[in-house]
Amino acid sequence: MNLLRLYARVLGQLGPDAKLGVALAFANLVLAMATFAEPVLFGRIVDALIGKSGSGAAEPVTFERLAPLIGMWIGVGLTTIVVGVFVSLQADRLAHRRRLAVMASYFEHALTLPIAFHSQVHSGRVLKVMLDATSGMWGLWLAFFREHCASFVTLFILLPFTLWLNWRMGVLLVALVVLFGALTVYILRKTERLQTSVERYHSDLAERASDALGNVPVIQSFTQIETEVRGLRTTMATLLDAQIPVLSWWAIATVLTRASATLTVLAIFLLGTYLHLNGQTSVGEIITFTNFATMLIGRLEQVVGFVNYIFMQAPKMAEFFEILDTTPAVRDKPNAITPGRLNGAVAFNSVSFSYDGKRPAVVDASFGVAPGETVALVGATGSGKSTTLSLLHRAFDPQSGAITVDGVDLRDYSLLGLRRNIGVVFQEPMLFARTIRENLQVGRPDATDEEMILALARAQATEIMARQPQGLDTVIGERGRTLSGGERQRLSIARALLKDPPILILDEATSALDAATETKLQKALEEVMKGRTTLVIAHRLATIRNATRILVFEEGRIIEAGTFEELVARGGRFAVLAKAQYLAGPAPIGDDEASSLARKIAE
């Protein structure tokens, strides 16, 4: 992204504070004019004190001649103080306020991005981009409105005004500033590409550290602490190797800027002395231009530092805007319908989907589910079961075909309205590092304590509460790690039950449970599923033997459909799966019905 365009976008993030930004820019203009006026007035006062005019003619020193100049000088000084206080206070407030607002906007946008995006981009990188870029923007806003806006005005608007005061010294001053500016631009171009690669290494560092911290149990169990630390240090060394050339170039820029101040003042003084000896300027003008040289080189140094900061932050902010510009593949139509509570009649009509456009994940899937029915999806890993149900709650949209609920295409519903009608229990519980109450309130924010306790009881999770010292207010750690795998899964089921949706998706909801708990939970789920459209993904076939219908998936296609008994009797793919499971060991749920079914399959 072009640097100027990038900076314009940063200023565009001011949003509702844009008017305050304009006021601050105007205040900076006033400050620049006042700063520029001070050397001029001071030079005039010096000329008045020594009784000389700009042409070198002698004039009497009188208080009447000095008073207006001194009055204007005092007025300019007071203006600088008052406007400076306004700029400092308001720039601070604007920068902090907008940083938090932009962070919140980015966070909301990131949460709306499709699952495919989050599958490809590491969460550590997304978080780093949010924190680094918003901090960078805060620094840019603060520095720009506090001092650098005035510096730009001084350099590019008021600098040419020096030609009017004394064109000879003005030309020299402009030429020197342009020369040092050109050298700075050269250095900027040298470091731009280098700094982009540096930022990539910073992101790699964040990803690696986030990965390690998120998998501490694995690292400790497999004694990989030394390996992880060594890998992190290797990344750091690579980062430092890439950063050193950038720092070297900017060290040159710093030395050049400081040297330019001395050289410019010396050049102006020598030229001014020559002109004064030839009667072409006054002592006051020499002092004025000497002050101009010091001030302008100081401003140039500020601008160089500011541009340096922009270059250092540019890759971070470019990555920020890249994510911000990522358009969610799944989004609302302009006039999307916001449904109330749906009946739950689901229909897939020749639905096909592919993640990469090459290998199909779902091929021509067609089936219907009446309100209150339970349909199970079975098949080998990667056969398309989870993808099919992901299409139902619009994690993705199909490339062809249509999915309807109550006869209306899903894409005609608003995402919020549709997802309020669908409860999902994922294979991975996905809990927050918050209290049990807060995790349950994800299902329904206004749920009472009694309703939460009831949902836990229906999910066979009452004993979880009995062991918690603070009850619903117990914090369960990152991803619920203070709970066992089965407890986490039951808590996620209670969360879905609390939502009370007309459509329920169970993606291997009982996979983390032991046989005894699974039996109790299965009975609870059977009760809960009554009157609710339920779609179940299961590998343990005994848990779905009472499903209204079973769909068998293979390579994205539905190859068989029917009840448990019908599919077993048919002797097809499902019968092979059932035989492998039931004859491999004890019946999965351990009841008489399962045992007799195992014998039937074996026959």
Side-chain angles (χ1 to χ4, degrees):
M1 185 179 292
N2 178 273
L3 189 64
L4 291 177
R5 180 167 166 258
L6 176 65
Y7 190 57
R9 289 204 65 179
V10 172
L11 291 179
Q13 293 297 310
L14 291 175
D17 283 308
K19 290 183 179 179
L20 177 58
V22 172
L24 287 169
F26 179 75
N28 272 278
L29 175 61
V30 173
L31 277 176
M33 293 174 66
T35 305
F36 202 85
E38 282 188 277
V40 176
L41 291 169
F42 184 66
R44 297 286 171 84
I45 290 171
V46 169
D47 280 341
L49 284 172
I50 63 176
K52 296 286 184 179
S53 66
S55 61
E59 291 185 3
V61 179
T62 62
F63 180 76
E64 287 75 13
R65 186 181 172 204
L66 288 172
L69 294 172
I70 294 173
M72 285 189 289
W73 196 23
I74 293 173
V76 167
L78 291 175
T79 300
T80 302
I81 293 171
V82 173
V83 176
V85 169
F86 168 77
V87 168
S88 295
L89 285 175
Q90 295 303 323
D92 265 345
R93 294 173 183 177
L94 177 146
H96 283 85
R97 185 165 57 243
R98 292 312 304 162
R99 174 177 177 265
L100 295 176
V102 170
M103 188 183 295
S105 177
Y106 172 92
F107 181 71
E108 181 181 4
H109 176 74
L111 291 179
T112 65
L113 292 176
I115 301 299
F117 171 85
H118 291 285
S119 299
Q120 296 169 3
V121 181
H122 196 284
S123 59
R125 184 182 291 265
V126 175
L127 179 60
K128 174 189 172 294
V129 168
M130 180 179 76
L131 297 177
D132 285 356
T134 53
S135 293
M137 289 183 196
W138 169 82
L140 284 179
W141 292 322
L142 191 61
F144 180 78
F145 288 118
R146 263 190 175 181
E147 52 189 27
H148 295 132
C149 180
S151 298
F152 281 111
V153 171
T154 302
L155 284 174
F156 298 111
I157 298 178
L158 298 183
L159 178 60
F161 180 71
T162 58
L163 298 172
W164 177 76
L165 293 175
N166 186 304
W167 71 268
R168 296 175 179 86
M169 287 193 289
V171 166
L172 177 62
L173 192 59
V174 170
L176 289 171
V177 170
V178 169
L179 173 63
F180 295 132
L183 291 173
T184 301
V185 169
Y186 173 77
I187 292 173
L188 290 178
R189 290 187 178 277
K190 279 285 187 181
T191 58
E192 181 177 9
R193 182 181 54 81
L194 295 173
Q195 185 59 35
T196 301
S197 65
V198 167
E199 195 52 39
R200 282 201 303 271
Y201 292 128
H202 274 295
S203 295
D204 292 342
L205 188 64
E207 282 189 13
R208 191 174 188 95
S210 176
D211 248 356
L213 293 173
N215 292 282
V216 170
V218 176
I219 291 171
Q220 292 179 350
S221 175
F222 286 87
T223 62
Q224 290 296 301
I225 294 176
E226 186 179 343
T227 302
E228 287 298 320
V229 172
R230 186 166 58 249
L232 193 68
R233 284 177 176 165
T234 300
T235 304
M236 288 176 174
T238 306
L239 167 62
L240 189 59
D241 289 341
Q243 185 75 76
I244 292 298
V246 179
L247 299 178
S248 299
W249 277 108
W250 280 107
I252 294 171
T254 302
V255 171
L256 178 65
T257 305
R258 289 175 181 173
S260 66
T262 302
L263 294 174
T264 303
V265 170
L266 181 61
I268 289 294
F269 182 77
L270 291 174
L271 178 62
T273 301
Y274 172 80
L275 293 174
H276 179 69
L277 293 175
N278 288 277
Q280 294 175 317
T281 190
S282 68
V283 173
E285 282 189 344
I286 295 174
I287 293 173
T288 295
F289 272 85
T290 302
N291 285 334
F292 277 161
T294 304
M295 178 187 70
L296 289 171
I297 295 301
R299 293 295 189 182
L300 181 61
E301 189 172 359
Q302 286 182 343
V303 169
V304 168
F306 182 62
V307 175
N308 178 23
Y309 182 79
I310 292 178
F311 265 84
M312 298 290 283
Q313 299 298 321
K316 301 174 185 177
M317 290 183 287
E319 198 168 5
F320 173 89
F321 286 117
E322 183 181 343
I323 293 177
L324 204 62
D325 291 341
T326 301
T327 305
V330 177
R331 55 187 182 275
D332 288 342
K333 287 184 175 181
N335 298 310
I337 303 167
T338 303
R341 186 176 178 85
L342 298 170
N343 292 323
V346 175
F348 279 67
N349 302 305
S350 301
V351 171
S352 295
F353 175 78
S354 172
Y355 289 100
D356 56 11
K358 299 176 182 177
R359 190 174 69 88
V362 178
V363 182
D364 199 27
S366 296
F367 63 91
V369 188
E373 274 193 328
T374 297
V375 171
L377 286 68
V378 301
T381 300
S383 60
K385 309 181 301 299
S386 294
T387 302
T388 299
L389 296 191
S390 294
L391 295 171
L392 176 58
H393 60 88
R394 289 199 73 192
F396 315 97
D397 278 336
Q399 274 101 28
S400 64
I403 306 169
T404 64
V405 175
D406 293 354
V408 178
D409 193 308
L410 294 186
R411 290 164 288 199
D412 292 331
Y413 288 127
S414 68
L415 278 168
L416 195 62
L418 172 68
R419 290 172 180 170
R420 280 175 178 162
N421 281 276
I422 300 176
V424 184
V425 180
F426 299 97
Q427 185 172 3
E428 171 63 38
M430 298 185 186
L431 299 176
F432 297 95
R434 303 171 190 172
T435 63
I436 293 174
R437 182 194 309 279
E438 289 173 301
N439 274 281
L440 290 173
Q441 284 175 333
V442 172
R444 197 166 94 235
D446 60 348
T448 64
D449 287 3
E450 291 74 17
E451 289 170 327
M452 293 183 204
I453 296 297
L454 178 60
L456 288 167
R458 294 173 73 186
Q460 304 294 309
T462 307
E463 70 272 17
I464 297 177
M465 292 300 302
R467 290 197 297 272
Q468 306 307 323
Q470 294 176 300
L472 290 170
D473 293 316
T474 302
V475 177
I476 59 174
E478 186 178 1
R479 299 182 184 179
R481 284 180 178 170
T482 61
L483 305 177
S484 69
E487 289 172 338
R488 291 198 295 269
Q489 191 63 286
R490 281 178 279 167
L491 185 56
S492 71
I493 291 170
R495 179 174 63 189
L497 296 178
L498 197 60
K499 186 177 181 180
D500 188 29
I503 301 171
L504 184 64
I505 296 175
L506 304 176
D507 189 351
E508 279 295 304
T510 62
S511 63
L513 307 181
D514 57 79
T517 304
E518 183 179 1
T519 301
K520 292 188 289 184
L521 185 57
Q522 192 63 35
K523 292 177 181 178
L525 288 175
E526 287 171 3
E527 183 63 29
V528 172
M529 291 187 308
K530 289 180 180 176
R532 197 187 312 274
T533 303
T534 307
L535 294 103
V536 185
I537 294 176
H539 286 104
R540 299 184 188 179
L541 302 184
T543 63
I544 56 165
R545 65 188 187 280
N546 294 325
T548 309
R549 194 156 19 103
I550 298 171
L551 306 177
V552 183
F553 278 74
E554 189 172 281
E555 295 183 355
R557 299 179 184 275
I558 300 173
I559 59 171
E560 291 181 336
T563 64
F564 196 104
E565 288 75 13
E566 288 172 351
L567 292 174
V568 168
R570 195 174 299 170
R573 178 62 178 160
F574 182 83
V576 172
L577 293 173
K579 185 174 182 179
Q581 283 194 22
Y582 277 91
L583 297 184
I589 7 185
D591 58 15
D592 294 338
E593 183 181 353
S595 298
S596 62
L597 188 56
R599 289 193 297 272
K600 182 177 179 181
I601 293 170
E603 294 170 0

